[in-house]
């Protein structure tokens, strides 16, 4: 790709995302958007797993623009999350998604002591979900009375491990990192298939730690290949390599990246599940594309220069297509930045709509291309 042309579209894409987010911030304020329906982001409660993405996007855009109004809203969102952190009962493994993009982001950008403490509390709750026998972080709490899901681990949690790596880095106490490494070793052993595709859910016997089954979760079927889960694995393994330097994580990230890149359709934006039947494979998930693109750029910086282009060019192709073919820049009646995200096809929830994490990772990827960090997972 010609660098001059590339830079021109990237700056244009960044400016449009910034402008649109400024407008959105006037309506959304310190709330927690998830999926856009009929042009407006639906606002969720502070305990929903997506609560970090809007403030995280505001921090990223603030870091690249200096717009204090975005920072003020991100800080208010973080304060609102205290109720969830102190309430305890609604916390699950998504502590990482929620507090990396709020308190860790704030701490990295401003040095706030209060944010450091909040993120450390979140890291302690996350570490406490570790199952020693199975060497996994428990994903969820019971969704309904009587349900026992204490053996469930999910691929998404790979991203949450950055909170534990961060906690070890700031405290000098290696316990958090030990737990994160144990969980990521389990990801390599039980979630990644030989072809580089991944399982969404592995169910362990929580008492013995033995694998009891593997489930399709948000993918089409147990042996299919949910694209956002693939992106979580790619980026999560690359982050684990960033924090530890362990070769097995880099090898795993490359294996998953090769699967992802070689399954993309002509316009470079993934189907919601790479192995869904053809009649529903046309349905895309732009959030899987933007998340993978950010991970691919991190990965490109971790390999030999001779290998880096495969990942970097893959990320640029995805992102340019998201910008040109999926963006809403000419539609003032749509708050989402990217159309055609798929949240949960099997449960028929938020299909073919903008998703706040798709928007977040799109902005983060643009920041990576522009080298306008920091990136809060690292
Ligand atoms: N972490 C849930 C999802 O990716 O939809």
């Amino acid at each position: 790709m010609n660098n001059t042309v590339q830079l021109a579209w990237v700056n244009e894409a960044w400016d449009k995302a910034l402008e649109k987010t400024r407008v959105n911030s006037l309506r959304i304020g310190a709330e927690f958007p998830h999926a856009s329906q009929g042009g407006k982001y639906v606002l969720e409660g502070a305990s929903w797993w997506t609560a970090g993405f809007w403030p995280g996007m505001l921090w990223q855009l603030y870091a690249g623009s200096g717009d204090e109004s975005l920072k003020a809203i991100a800080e208010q969102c973080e304060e609102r999350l205290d109720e969830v952190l102190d309430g305890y009962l609604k916390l699950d493994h998504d502590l990482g998604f929620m507090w990396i993009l709020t308190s860790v982001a704030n701490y990295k950008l401003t040095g706030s002591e209060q944010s450091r403490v909040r993120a450390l509390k979140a890291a302690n709750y996350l570490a406490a979900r570790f199952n020693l026998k199975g060497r996994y972080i428990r994903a969820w709490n019971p969704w309904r009375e009587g349900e026992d899901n204490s053996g469930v681990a999910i691929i998404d949690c790979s991203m949450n491990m950055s909170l534990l790596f961060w906690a070890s880095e700031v405290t000098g106490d290696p316990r958090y990192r030990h737990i994160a490494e144990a969980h990521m070793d389990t990801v390599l052993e039980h979630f990644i298939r030989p072809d580089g595709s991944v399982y969404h859910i592995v169910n362990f016997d929580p008492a013995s730690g033995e694998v009891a089954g593997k489930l399709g979760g948000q993918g089409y079927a147990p042996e299919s290949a949910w694209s956002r889960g693939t992106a979580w694995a790619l980026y999560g393994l690359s982050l684990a390599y960033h924090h530890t330097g362990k070769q097995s994580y880099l090898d795993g990230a490359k294996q998953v990246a090769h699967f992802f890149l070689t399954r993309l359709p002509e316009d470079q934006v993934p189907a919601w599940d790479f192995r869904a039947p053809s009649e529903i494979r046309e349905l895309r998930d732009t959030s899987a594309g933007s998340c993978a693109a950010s991970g691919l750029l991190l990965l490109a910086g971790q390999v030999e220069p001779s290998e880096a282009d495969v990942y970097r060019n893959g990320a640029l192709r995805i992102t340019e297509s998201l910008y040109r073919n999926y963006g809403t820049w000419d539609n003032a009646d749509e708050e989402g930045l990217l159309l055609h995200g798929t949240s949960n096809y099997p449960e028929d929830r938020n299909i073919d709509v903008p998703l706040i994490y798709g928007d977040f990772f799109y902005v983060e990827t643009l920041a990576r291309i522009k080298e306008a960090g920091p990136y809060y997972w690292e």
Side-chain angles (χ1 to χ4, degrees):
M1 193 177 296
N2 174 312
N3 276 338
T4 319
V5 173
Q6 175 195 317
L7 202 62
W9 75 257
V10 172
N11 285 334
E12 203 177 271
W14 172 270
D15 290 346
K16 288 183 181 176
L18 175 61
E19 188 45 39
K20 189 145 189 148
T21 304
R22 279 188 177 128
V23 173
N24 286 346
S25 72
L26 301 177
R27 184 190 78 87
I28 295 173
E31 293 289 339
F32 302 102
H34 175 198
S36 171
Q37 299 286 355
K40 293 258 178 289
Y41 262 118
V42 176
L43 308 176
E44 300 287 347
S47 64
W48 190 234
W49 76 278
T50 54
F53 291 106
W54 168 244
M57 186 163 80
L58 298 178
W59 278 120
Q60 198 77 57
L61 290 165
Y62 160 73
S65 70
D67 185 333
E68 293 285 334
S69 70
L70 304 182
K71 175 181 183 237
I73 298 172
E75 285 171 334
Q76 288 162 29
C77 287
E78 183 184 345
E79 277 164 31
R80 287 197 56 198
L81 283 181
D82 282 349
E83 177 196 328
V84 185
L85 195 60
D86 298 336
Y88 177 74
L89 291 174
K90 290 187 175 162
L91 297 173
D92 64 16
H93 76 121
D94 288 318
L95 282 143
F97 282 122
M98 293 165 77
W99 276 276
I100 289 168
L101 297 179
T102 52
S103 299
V104 173
N106 192 346
Y107 175 67
K108 283 194 182 219
L109 285 168
T110 72
S112 160
E113 178 59 15
Q114 195 180 13
S115 296
R116 192 178 79 95
V117 170
R118 285 180 175 126
L120 284 174
K121 279 190 198 171
N124 277 283
Y125 286 137
L126 183 57
R129 301 186 72 84
F130 185 64
N131 180 304
L132 189 58
K133 286 282 191 183
R135 293 165 62 80
Y136 65 88
I137 296 274
R138 175 182 178 170
W140 300 307
N141 308 325
W143 294 106
R144 55 197 73 78
E145 183 97 18
E147 183 185 23
D148 178 6
N149 55 11
S150 57
V152 170
I154 67 175
I155 194 66
D156 323 31
C157 191
S158 309
M159 295 296 291
N160 293 324
M161 294 303 91
S162 279
L163 183 62
L164 299 181
F165 289 125
W166 171 85
S168 275
E169 283 154 18
V170 296
T171 61
D173 181 338
R175 289 175 302 148
Y176 307 98
R177 173 165 52 78
H178 292 162
I179 290 173
E181 282 188 37
H183 179 84
M184 292 310 289
D185 290 346
T186 299
V187 165
L188 287 177
E189 188 178 348
H190 295 300
F191 284 78
I192 315 291
R193 302 188 186 101
D195 68 356
S197 64
V198 309
Y199 289 101
H200 182 194
I201 299 178
V202 177
N203 192 22
F204 296 85
D205 177 327
S208 70
E210 296 299 314
V211 172
K214 301 192 178 187
L215 309 173
Q218 281 165 253
Y220 178 73
E223 295 301 329
S224 72
W226 179 44
S227 61
R228 193 162 61 256
T230 320
W232 295 144
L234 188 173
Y235 199 172
L237 284 162
S238 183
L239 285 164
Y241 177 69
H242 168 82
H243 288 288
T244 64
K246 259 175 82 171
Q247 185 65 33
S248 56
Y249 300 148
L250 183 62
D251 294 343
K254 286 163 70 171
Q255 191 188 357
V256 177
H258 294 168
F259 177 84
F260 194 97
L261 287 170
T262 53
R263 294 323 188 268
L264 292 176
E266 203 175 337
D267 76 356
Q268 304 296 305
V269 173
W272 71 280
D273 187 315
F274 294 115
R275 292 195 184 117
S278 56
E279 63 275 16
I280 50 172
R281 210 169 46 234
E282 275 309 299
L283 200 58
R284 301 300 163 90
D285 181 12
T286 46
S287 76
S290 61
C291 174
S294 196
L296 285 164
L297 288 175
L298 177 63
L299 183 56
Q302 296 173 323
V303 298
E304 295 300 322
S306 59
E307 292 177 76
D309 274 0
V310 173
Y311 308 117
R312 182 170 169 80
N313 291 341
L316 292 175
R317 282 195 303 270
I318 294 168
T319 311
E320 186 168 358
S321 181
L322 290 174
Y323 170 57
R324 296 197 190 285
N325 305 319
Y326 292 83
T328 59
W329 326 119
D330 300 323
N331 182 1
D333 295 328
E334 172 57 69
E335 287 183 341
L337 305 189
L338 297 180
L339 299 170
H340 305 306
T342 296
S343 160
N344 192 330
Y345 186 89
E347 290 189 5
D348 197 18
R349 283 194 281 126
N350 298 320
I351 296 173
D352 206 18
V353 293
L355 297 167
I356 195 66
Y357 33 95
D359 291 359
F360 166 81
F361 285 110
Y362 171 73
V363 166
E364 186 185 74
T365 305
L366 293 175
R368 282 190 188 278
I369 302 170
K370 285 165 64 70
E371 298 180 0
Y375 317 108
Y376 309 116
W377 321 89
E378 291 178 20

